[in-house]
Amino acid sequence: METYWDWLTVITFAGLATLLLQRSSEEEPQDELWQYAPPAIGCAVTNYFGNEGQHLIAGALFIGVISYIFVILKVRLPKL
């Protein structure tokens, strides 16, 4: 873990894995397993481009990953 892209994508992937585990333990899961593949692959591709110095591409991909998580997987931020 040498770059901030490493940290950013690993933290995002860990959150995604936690969300998958939490939702898969529900009696009636609201998501399908395949729905977690695009953001997981997106994290890997984002990390690759970020580590190659293509920061604009990596940033755009990361915004896409986060958008997918909030729009498709319908994650809601906790109320403060």
Side-chain angles (χ1 to χ4, degrees):
M1 305 257 298
E2 298 174 7
T3 68
Y4 61 89
W5 290 108
D6 294 335
W7 285 99
L8 196 60
T9 55
V10 166
I11 290 168
T12 304
F13 184 79
L16 187 63
T18 303
L19 181 66
L20 170 66
L21 291 173
Q22 177 189 8
R23 289 191 174 173
S24 67
S25 68
E26 294 175 350
E27 193 159 318
E28 190 67 35
Q30 56 184 336
D31 303 323
E32 298 290 329
L33 182 61
W34 66 267
Q35 291 175 304
Y36 292 86
I41 294 168
C43 282
V45 174
T46 297
N47 191 32
Y48 172 78
F49 280 109
N51 289 340
E52 291 295 315
Q54 302 292 325
H55 300 294
L56 290 176
I57 295 171
L61 287 169
F62 186 71
I63 290 170
V65 167
I66 296 300
S67 298
Y68 183 96
I69 291 171
F70 281 96
V71 173
I72 304 299
L73 297 178
K74 297 176 181 73
V75 172
R76 297 201 176 27
L77 295 175
K79 294 180 182 177
L80 298 176

Coordinates of all heavy atoms in Angstrom, one line a residue:
M1 N 0.8 -1.2 0.0 CA 0.0 0.0 0.0 C 0.9 1.2 0.0 O 1.3 1.7 1.0 CB -0.9 0.0 1.2 CG -1.8 -1.3 1.3 SD -3.5 -1.1 0.9 CE -4.1 0.1 2.0
E2 N 1.1 1.7 -1.2 CA 2.1 2.8 -1.4 C 1.4 4.1 -1.8 O 2.0 5.2 -1.5 CB 3.1 2.4 -2.4 CG 3.9 1.2 -2.0 CD 4.9 0.7 -3.1 OE1 5.0 1.4 -4.1 OE2 5.5 -0.3 -2.9
T3 N 0.3 4.1 -2.4 CA -0.3 5.3 -2.9 C -1.6 5.6 -2.2 O -2.2 4.6 -1.6 CB -0.5 5.3 -4.4 OG1 -1.5 4.3 -4.7 CG2 0.8 4.9 -5.2
Y4 N -2.1 6.8 -2.4 CA -3.5 7.0 -1.8 C -4.5 6.3 -2.6 O -5.6 6.0 -2.0 CB -3.7 8.5 -1.7 CG -3.7 9.3 -3.0 CD1 -4.9 9.4 -3.7 CD2 -2.6 9.9 -3.5 CE1 -4.9 10.1 -4.9 CE2 -2.6 10.6 -4.7 CZ -3.8 10.7 -5.4 OH -3.8 11.4 -6.6
W5 N -4.3 5.9 -3.8 CA -5.3 5.1 -4.6 C -5.4 3.8 -3.9 O -6.5 3.2 -3.9 CB -4.9 5.1 -6.0 CG -5.1 6.4 -6.7 CD1 -4.1 7.2 -7.2 CD2 -6.3 7.0 -7.0 NE1 -4.6 8.3 -7.7 CE2 -6.0 8.2 -7.7 CE3 -7.7 6.7 -6.8 CZ2 -7.0 9.1 -8.1 CZ3 -8.6 7.6 -7.3 CH2 -8.3 8.8 -7.9
D6 N -4.3 3.2 -3.5 CA -4.3 1.9 -2.8 C -5.3 2.0 -1.6 O -6.1 1.1 -1.4 CB -2.9 1.5 -2.4 CG -2.0 1.2 -3.5 OD1 -2.5 0.8 -4.6 OD2 -0.8 1.3 -3.3
W7 N -5.0 3.0 -0.8 CA -5.8 3.1 0.5 C -7.3 3.4 0.1 O -8.2 2.8 0.8 CB -5.3 4.3 1.3 CG -4.0 3.9 2.0 CD1 -2.7 4.2 1.6 CD2 -3.9 3.1 3.2 NE1 -1.8 3.7 2.5 CE2 -2.5 3.0 3.5 CE3 -4.8 2.5 4.0 CZ2 -2.0 2.3 4.6 CZ3 -4.3 1.8 5.1 CH2 -2.9 1.7 5.4
L8 N -7.5 4.3 -0.8 CA -8.9 4.7 -1.1 C -9.7 3.5 -1.7 O -10.8 3.2 -1.3 CB -8.9 5.8 -2.2 CG -10.1 6.6 -2.4 CD1 -10.6 7.3 -1.1 CD2 -9.8 7.7 -3.5
T9 N -9.1 2.7 -2.6 CA -9.8 1.6 -3.2 C -10.0 0.4 -2.2 O -11.0 -0.2 -2.2 CB -9.2 1.2 -4.5 OG1 -7.8 0.8 -4.3 CG2 -9.3 2.2 -5.5
V10 N -9.0 0.2 -1.4 CA -9.1 -0.9 -0.4 C -10.1 -0.6 0.7 O -10.9 -1.5 1.0 CB -7.7 -1.2 0.3 CG1 -7.9 -2.1 1.5 CG2 -6.8 -1.9 -0.7
I11 N -10.2 0.6 1.1 CA -11.2 1.0 2.1 C -12.6 0.9 1.5 O -13.6 0.4 2.1 CB -11.0 2.5 2.6 CG1 -9.7 2.4 3.5 CG2 -12.2 3.0 3.4 CD1 -9.2 3.8 3.9
T12 N -12.7 1.4 0.2 CA -14.0 1.2 -0.5 C -14.4 -0.2 -0.7 O -15.6 -0.6 -0.4 CB -14.0 2.0 -1.8 OG1 -13.6 3.3 -1.6 CG2 -15.3 1.9 -2.6
F13 N -13.5 -1.0 -1.1 CA -13.8 -2.5 -1.2 C -14.1 -3.1 0.1 O -15.0 -4.0 0.1 CB -12.6 -3.2 -1.9 CG -12.8 -4.6 -2.2 CD1 -13.5 -5.0 -3.3 CD2 -12.4 -5.6 -1.3 CE1 -13.8 -6.3 -3.6 CE2 -12.7 -6.9 -1.6 CZ -13.4 -7.3 -2.7
A14 N -13.5 -2.8 1.2 CA -13.8 -3.3 2.5 C -15.2 -2.9 2.9 O -16.0 -3.8 3.4 CB -12.8 -2.9 3.5
G15 N -15.6 -1.7 2.6 CA -17.0 -1.3 2.9 C -18.0 -2.0 2.1 O -19.0 -2.4 2.5
L16 N -17.6 -2.3 0.8 CA -18.5 -3.0 -0.1 C -18.7 -4.5 0.4 O -19.8 -5.0 0.4 CB -17.9 -3.0 -1.5 CG -18.7 -3.6 -2.6 CD1 -20.0 -2.8 -2.8 CD2 -18.0 -3.6 -3.9
A17 N -17.6 -5.1 0.8 CA -17.6 -6.4 1.3 C -18.5 -6.5 2.6 O -19.2 -7.4 2.8 CB -16.2 -7.0 1.6
T18 N -18.3 -5.5 3.5 CA -19.1 -5.4 4.7 C -20.6 -5.3 4.4 O -21.4 -5.9 5.0 CB -18.6 -4.3 5.6 OG1 -17.2 -4.4 5.9 CG2 -19.4 -4.2 6.9
L19 N -20.9 -4.4 3.4 CA -22.3 -4.3 3.0 C -22.9 -5.6 2.4 O -24.0 -6.0 2.8 CB -22.4 -3.2 1.9 CG -23.8 -2.9 1.4 CD1 -24.6 -2.3 2.5 CD2 -23.7 -1.9 0.2
L20 N -22.1 -6.3 1.7 CA -22.5 -7.6 1.1 C -22.8 -8.6 2.2 O -23.8 -9.2 2.3 CB -21.5 -8.2 0.2 CG -21.7 -9.6 -0.3 CD1 -22.9 -9.7 -1.1 CD2 -20.4 -10.1 -1.0
L21 N -21.9 -8.7 3.2 CA -22.1 -9.6 4.3 C -23.3 -9.2 5.2 O -24.1 -10.1 5.6 CB -20.8 -9.7 5.2 CG -19.6 -10.3 4.5 CD1 -18.4 -10.1 5.4 CD2 -19.9 -11.8 4.2
Q22 N -23.5 -8.0 5.4 CA -24.6 -7.5 6.2 C -25.9 -7.8 5.5 O -26.8 -8.3 6.1 CB -24.5 -6.0 6.5 CG -25.7 -5.4 7.2 CD -25.7 -3.9 7.3 OE1 -24.8 -3.3 6.6 NE2 -26.6 -3.4 8.1
R23 N -26.0 -7.5 4.2 CA -27.2 -7.7 3.5 C -27.5 -9.1 3.2 O -28.7 -9.5 3.1 CB -27.2 -6.8 2.2 CG -27.4 -5.4 2.6 CD -27.6 -4.6 1.3 NE -27.9 -3.2 1.7 CZ -28.0 -2.2 0.7 NH1 -27.9 -2.5 -0.5 NH2 -28.2 -1.0 1.1
S24 N -26.5 -9.9 3.0 CA -26.7 -11.4 2.7 C -27.2 -12.1 4.0 O -27.8 -13.2 3.8 CB -25.5 -12.0 2.2 OG -24.5 -12.0 3.2
S25 N -27.0 -11.5 5.1 CA -27.5 -12.2 6.4 C -29.0 -11.9 6.7 O -29.6 -12.4 7.6 CB -26.7 -11.8 7.6 OG -26.8 -10.4 7.9
E26 N -29.6 -11.0 5.9 CA -31.0 -10.6 6.1 C -31.9 -11.8 5.7 O -31.5 -12.6 4.8 CB -31.4 -9.4 5.3 CG -30.7 -8.1 5.7 CD -30.9 -7.0 4.8 OE1 -31.5 -7.1 3.7 OE2 -30.6 -5.8 5.2
E27 N -33.0 -11.9 6.3 CA -33.9 -13.0 5.9 C -34.4 -12.9 4.5 O -34.5 -13.9 3.8 CB -35.2 -12.9 6.9 CG -36.0 -14.2 6.8 CD -36.8 -14.4 8.0 OE1 -36.3 -14.1 9.1 OE2 -38.0 -14.8 7.8
E28 N -34.6 -11.7 4.0 CA -35.0 -11.4 2.6 C -34.0 -10.5 2.0 O -34.2 -9.2 2.1 CB -36.4 -10.9 2.5 CG -37.0 -10.8 1.2 CD -37.3 -12.2 0.6 OE1 -37.6 -13.1 1.3 OE2 -37.1 -12.3 -0.6
P29 N -32.9 -11.0 1.4 CA -31.9 -10.1 0.9 C -32.5 -9.1 -0.2 O -33.3 -9.6 -1.0 CB -30.8 -11.0 0.3 CG -31.1 -12.3 1.0 CD -32.5 -12.4 1.3
Q30 N -32.1 -7.9 -0.2 CA -32.6 -6.9 -1.1 C -31.7 -6.8 -2.4 O -32.1 -6.1 -3.3 CB -32.7 -5.6 -0.4 CG -31.5 -5.0 0.2 CD -31.7 -3.7 0.9 OE1 -32.6 -3.0 0.6 NE2 -30.9 -3.4 1.9
D31 N -30.6 -7.4 -2.4 CA -29.6 -7.3 -3.5 C -29.3 -8.7 -4.0 O -29.4 -9.7 -3.3 CB -28.3 -6.7 -3.1 CG -28.5 -5.3 -2.5 OD1 -29.4 -4.6 -3.0 OD2 -27.8 -5.0 -1.6
E32 N -28.9 -8.8 -5.3 CA -28.3 -10.0 -5.9 C -26.8 -10.0 -5.7 O -26.2 -8.9 -5.8 CB -28.7 -10.1 -7.3 CG -30.2 -10.2 -7.5 CD -30.8 -11.5 -7.1 OE1 -30.2 -12.6 -7.1 OE2 -32.0 -11.5 -6.6
L33 N -26.2 -11.1 -5.7 CA -24.7 -11.2 -5.5 C -24.0 -10.5 -6.7 O -23.0 -9.8 -6.5 CB -24.3 -12.6 -5.4 CG -22.8 -12.9 -5.2 CD1 -22.3 -12.2 -3.9 CD2 -22.5 -14.4 -5.2
W34 N -24.5 -10.7 -7.9 CA -23.9 -10.1 -9.1 C -23.8 -8.6 -9.1 O -23.0 -8.0 -9.7 CB -24.5 -10.6 -10.4 CG -25.9 -10.1 -10.6 CD1 -27.1 -10.7 -10.2 CD2 -26.3 -8.9 -11.2 NE1 -28.2 -10.0 -10.5 CE2 -27.8 -8.8 -11.1 CE3 -25.7 -7.8 -11.7 CZ2 -28.5 -7.7 -11.6 CZ3 -26.4 -6.7 -12.2 CH2 -27.8 -6.7 -12.2
Q35 N -24.7 -7.9 -8.3 CA -24.7 -6.5 -8.3 C -23.5 -5.9 -7.6 O -23.2 -4.7 -7.7 CB -26.0 -6.0 -7.6 CG -27.2 -6.2 -8.4 CD -28.5 -5.8 -7.6 OE1 -28.7 -6.3 -6.5 NE2 -29.3 -5.0 -8.2
Y36 N -22.8 -6.7 -6.9 CA -21.5 -6.3 -6.2 C -20.3 -6.4 -7.1 O -19.3 -5.8 -6.7 CB -21.3 -7.0 -4.9 CG -22.4 -6.7 -3.9 CD1 -23.6 -7.3 -3.8 CD2 -22.2 -5.7 -2.9 CE1 -24.6 -7.0 -2.9 CE2 -23.1 -5.3 -2.0 CZ -24.4 -6.0 -2.0 OH -25.3 -5.6 -1.1
A37 N -20.4 -7.1 -8.2 CA -19.2 -7.2 -9.1 C -18.8 -5.9 -9.7 O -17.6 -5.6 -9.8 CB -19.5 -8.3 -10.1
P38 N -19.7 -5.1 -10.3 CA -19.2 -3.9 -11.0 C -18.4 -3.0 -10.1 O -17.4 -2.5 -10.5 CB -20.5 -3.2 -11.5 CG -21.5 -4.4 -11.7 CD -21.1 -5.3 -10.6
P39 N -18.9 -2.6 -8.9 CA -18.1 -1.7 -8.1 C -16.8 -2.4 -7.6 O -15.8 -1.7 -7.4 CB -19.0 -1.4 -6.9 CG -20.0 -2.4 -6.8 CD -20.2 -2.9 -8.2
A40 N -16.8 -3.7 -7.4 CA -15.5 -4.4 -7.0 C -14.5 -4.3 -8.1 O -13.3 -4.0 -7.9 CB -15.8 -5.8 -6.6
I41 N -15.0 -4.6 -9.3 CA -14.1 -4.5 -10.5 C -13.6 -3.1 -10.7 O -12.5 -2.8 -11.0 CB -14.7 -5.1 -11.7 CG1 -14.9 -6.6 -11.5 CG2 -13.9 -4.8 -13.0 CD1 -15.8 -7.3 -12.5
G42 N -14.6 -2.2 -10.5 CA -14.3 -0.7 -10.6 C -13.2 -0.3 -9.6 O -12.4 0.6 -10.0
C43 N -13.2 -0.8 -8.4 CA -12.1 -0.5 -7.5 C -10.8 -1.0 -8.0 O -9.8 -0.2 -7.9 CB -12.4 -1.2 -6.1 SG -13.6 -0.3 -5.1
A44 N -10.7 -2.2 -8.6 CA -9.5 -2.7 -9.1 C -9.0 -1.8 -10.3 O -7.8 -1.5 -10.3 CB -9.6 -4.1 -9.5
V45 N -9.9 -1.5 -11.2 CA -9.5 -0.7 -12.3 C -9.1 0.7 -11.9 O -8.1 1.3 -12.4 CB -10.6 -0.7 -13.4 CG1 -10.3 0.3 -14.5 CG2 -10.9 -2.1 -13.9
T46 N -9.8 1.3 -10.9 CA -9.5 2.6 -10.4 C -8.1 2.6 -9.8 O -7.3 3.5 -10.1 CB -10.5 3.1 -9.3 OG1 -11.8 3.2 -9.9 CG2 -10.1 4.4 -8.7
N47 N -7.8 1.6 -9.0 CA -6.5 1.5 -8.4 C -5.4 1.3 -9.5 O -4.3 2.0 -9.4 CB -6.4 0.3 -7.5 CG -5.2 0.3 -6.6 OD1 -4.7 1.3 -6.3 ND2 -4.7 -0.9 -6.3
Y48 N -5.6 0.6 -10.5 CA -4.6 0.4 -11.6 C -4.3 1.7 -12.2 O -3.2 2.1 -12.4 CB -5.1 -0.6 -12.6 CG -4.3 -0.6 -13.8 CD1 -3.1 -1.3 -13.8 CD2 -4.6 0.0 -15.0 CE1 -2.2 -1.4 -14.9 CE2 -3.8 0.0 -16.1 CZ -2.6 -0.7 -16.1 OH -1.7 -0.7 -17.1
F49 N -5.4 2.5 -12.7 CA -5.1 3.7 -13.3 C -4.5 4.8 -12.4 O -3.6 5.5 -12.8 CB -6.4 4.3 -13.9 CG -6.8 3.7 -15.3 CD1 -7.8 2.8 -15.4 CD2 -6.0 3.9 -16.4 CE1 -8.2 2.2 -16.6 CE2 -6.4 3.4 -17.6 CZ -7.4 2.5 -17.7
G50 N -4.9 4.8 -11.2 CA -4.3 5.7 -10.2 C -2.8 5.4 -10.0 O -2.0 6.3 -9.9
N51 N -2.5 4.1 -9.9 CA -1.1 3.8 -9.7 C -0.2 4.0 -10.9 O 1.0 4.1 -10.8 CB -0.9 2.3 -9.2 CG -1.4 2.2 -7.8 OD1 -1.5 3.1 -7.0 ND2 -1.8 0.9 -7.4
E52 N -0.9 4.0 -12.1 CA -0.2 4.3 -13.3 C 0.0 5.8 -13.6 O 0.5 6.2 -14.6 CB -0.9 3.6 -14.5 CG -0.8 2.1 -14.5 CD 0.6 1.6 -14.7 OE1 1.4 2.1 -15.5 OE2 1.0 0.7 -13.9
G53 N -0.5 6.7 -12.7 CA -0.4 8.1 -12.9 C -1.5 8.7 -13.7 O -1.5 9.9 -13.9
Q54 N -2.5 8.0 -14.0 CA -3.7 8.5 -14.7 C -4.8 8.9 -13.7 O -5.8 8.3 -13.6 CB -4.2 7.4 -15.7 CG -3.2 6.9 -16.7 CD -2.9 8.0 -17.7 OE1 -3.7 8.8 -18.1 NE2 -1.6 8.0 -18.1
H55 N -4.5 10.0 -13.0 CA -5.3 10.4 -11.9 C -6.7 10.9 -12.3 O -7.7 10.7 -11.6 CB -4.6 11.5 -11.1 CG -3.3 11.0 -10.5 ND1 -3.2 10.0 -9.6 CD2 -2.0 11.4 -10.8 CE1 -1.9 9.8 -9.3 NE2 -1.2 10.6 -10.1
L56 N -6.8 11.6 -13.5 CA -8.2 12.0 -13.9 C -9.1 10.8 -14.3 O -10.2 10.8 -13.9 CB -8.0 12.9 -15.1 CG -7.4 14.3 -14.9 CD1 -7.3 15.1 -16.2 CD2 -8.3 15.1 -13.9
I57 N -8.5 9.8 -14.9 CA -9.3 8.6 -15.2 C -9.6 7.9 -14.0 O -10.8 7.5 -13.8 CB -8.5 7.7 -16.2 CG1 -8.3 8.4 -17.5 CG2 -9.2 6.4 -16.4 CD1 -7.4 7.7 -18.5
A58 N -8.7 7.8 -13.1 CA -8.9 7.1 -11.8 C -10.0 7.8 -11.0 O -10.9 7.2 -10.4 CB -7.6 6.9 -11.0
G59 N -9.9 9.1 -11.0 CA -10.9 9.9 -10.2 C -12.3 9.8 -10.8 O -13.3 9.6 -10.1
A60 N -12.4 9.8 -12.1 CA -13.7 9.6 -12.8 C -14.3 8.2 -12.5 O -15.5 8.0 -12.2 CB -13.6 9.8 -14.3
L61 N -13.4 7.2 -12.6 CA -13.9 5.8 -12.2 C -14.3 5.7 -10.8 O -15.3 5.0 -10.5 CB -12.7 4.8 -12.5 CG -12.5 4.6 -14.0 CD1 -11.2 3.8 -14.2 CD2 -13.6 3.8 -14.6
F62 N -13.5 6.4 -9.9 CA -13.9 6.3 -8.5 C -15.2 6.9 -8.2 O -16.1 6.4 -7.4 CB -12.8 6.9 -7.6 CG -13.0 6.7 -6.1 CD1 -12.9 5.5 -5.6 CD2 -13.4 7.8 -5.3 CE1 -13.2 5.3 -4.2 CE2 -13.7 7.6 -4.0 CZ -13.5 6.3 -3.4
I63 N -15.5 8.1 -8.8 CA -16.8 8.7 -8.7 C -17.9 7.8 -9.2 O -19.0 7.7 -8.6 CB -16.8 10.1 -9.4 CG1 -15.9 11.1 -8.7 CG2 -18.2 10.6 -9.6 CD1 -15.7 12.3 -9.4
G64 N -17.6 7.1 -10.3 CA -18.6 6.1 -10.8 C -18.8 5.0 -9.9 O -20.0 4.5 -9.7
V65 N -17.8 4.5 -9.2 CA -17.9 3.4 -8.2 C -18.8 3.8 -7.1 O -19.7 3.2 -6.7 CB -16.6 2.9 -7.8 CG1 -16.7 2.0 -6.5 CG2 -15.8 2.1 -8.9
I66 N -18.5 5.0 -6.5 CA -19.3 5.5 -5.4 C -20.7 5.8 -5.8 O -21.6 5.5 -5.1 CB -18.6 6.8 -4.9 CG1 -17.2 6.5 -4.3 CG2 -19.4 7.5 -3.8 CD1 -17.2 5.5 -3.2
S67 N -20.9 6.3 -7.0 CA -22.3 6.6 -7.5 C -23.0 5.3 -7.6 O -24.2 5.2 -7.2 CB -22.2 7.3 -8.9 OG -21.6 8.5 -8.7
Y68 N -22.4 4.3 -8.2 CA -23.1 3.0 -8.3 C -23.5 2.4 -6.9 O -24.6 1.9 -6.8 CB -22.1 2.0 -9.0 CG -22.7 0.6 -9.2 CD1 -23.3 0.3 -10.4 CD2 -22.7 -0.4 -8.2 CE1 -23.8 -1.0 -10.7 CE2 -23.3 -1.6 -8.4 CZ -23.8 -1.9 -9.6 OH -24.4 -3.1 -9.9
I69 N -22.6 2.5 -6.0 CA -22.9 2.0 -4.6 C -24.1 2.8 -4.0 O -25.0 2.1 -3.5 CB -21.7 2.1 -3.7 CG1 -20.6 1.2 -4.2 CG2 -22.1 1.9 -2.2 CD1 -19.3 1.3 -3.5
F70 N -24.2 4.1 -4.2 CA -25.3 4.8 -3.6 C -26.6 4.7 -4.4 O -27.7 4.7 -3.8 CB -24.9 6.3 -3.4 CG -24.1 6.5 -2.2 CD1 -22.7 6.6 -2.3 CD2 -24.6 6.7 -1.0 CE1 -21.9 6.8 -1.2 CE2 -23.9 6.9 0.2 CZ -22.5 6.9 0.1
V71 N -26.5 4.6 -5.7 CA -27.7 4.6 -6.6 C -28.2 3.2 -6.8 O -29.4 3.0 -6.5 CB -27.4 5.3 -7.9 CG1 -28.6 5.1 -8.9 CG2 -27.1 6.7 -7.8
I72 N -27.4 2.3 -7.2 CA -27.9 0.9 -7.5 C -28.0 0.1 -6.2 O -29.1 -0.6 -6.0 CB -26.9 0.2 -8.5 CG1 -26.7 1.0 -9.7 CG2 -27.4 -1.2 -8.8 CD1 -28.0 1.2 -10.5
L73 N -27.1 0.1 -5.3 CA -27.2 -0.6 -4.1 C -28.0 0.1 -3.0 O -28.2 -0.5 -2.0 CB -25.8 -1.0 -3.6 CG -25.0 -1.9 -4.5 CD1 -23.6 -2.2 -3.9 CD2 -25.7 -3.2 -4.8
K74 N -28.3 1.3 -3.3 CA -29.2 2.1 -2.4 C -28.7 2.3 -1.0 O -29.4 2.0 0.0 CB -30.6 1.6 -2.4 CG -31.2 1.7 -3.8 CD -32.6 1.1 -3.8 CE -33.2 1.2 -5.2 NZ -32.7 0.2 -6.1
V75 N -27.4 2.6 -0.9 CA -26.8 2.8 0.5 C -27.2 4.2 0.9 O -27.2 5.2 0.2 CB -25.3 2.7 0.4 CG1 -24.7 3.1 1.7 CG2 -24.9 1.3 0.0
R76 N -27.6 4.3 2.2 CA -28.0 5.5 2.7 C -27.1 5.9 3.9 O -26.7 5.0 4.7 CB -29.5 5.5 3.3 CG -30.4 5.2 2.1 CD -31.8 5.6 2.4 NE -32.8 5.5 1.4 CZ -32.8 4.7 0.3 NH1 -31.9 3.9 0.1 NH2 -33.8 4.7 -0.5
L77 N -26.7 7.1 3.9 CA -25.8 7.6 5.0 C -26.6 7.7 6.3 O -27.8 8.0 6.3 CB -25.2 9.0 4.7 CG -24.3 9.0 3.4 CD1 -23.9 10.4 3.2 CD2 -23.1 8.2 3.7
P78 N -26.0 7.3 7.4 CA -26.7 7.4 8.7 C -27.0 8.8 9.1 O -26.2 9.8 8.7 CB -25.7 6.8 9.7 CG -24.4 6.9 9.0 CD -24.6 6.9 7.6
K79 N -28.1 9.0 9.7 CA -28.5 10.4 10.2 C -27.6 10.7 11.4 O -27.4 9.9 12.3 CB -30.0 10.4 10.6 CG -30.9 10.2 9.4 CD -32.3 10.3 9.8 CE -33.2 10.0 8.6 NZ -34.6 10.0 8.9
L80 N -27.2 12.0 11.4 CA -26.4 12.4 12.6 C -27.3 13.1 13.6 O -28.3 13.6 13.5 CB -25.4 13.5 12.1 CG -24.4 12.9 11.1 CD1 -23.5 14.0 10.6 CD2 -23.5 11.8 11.7

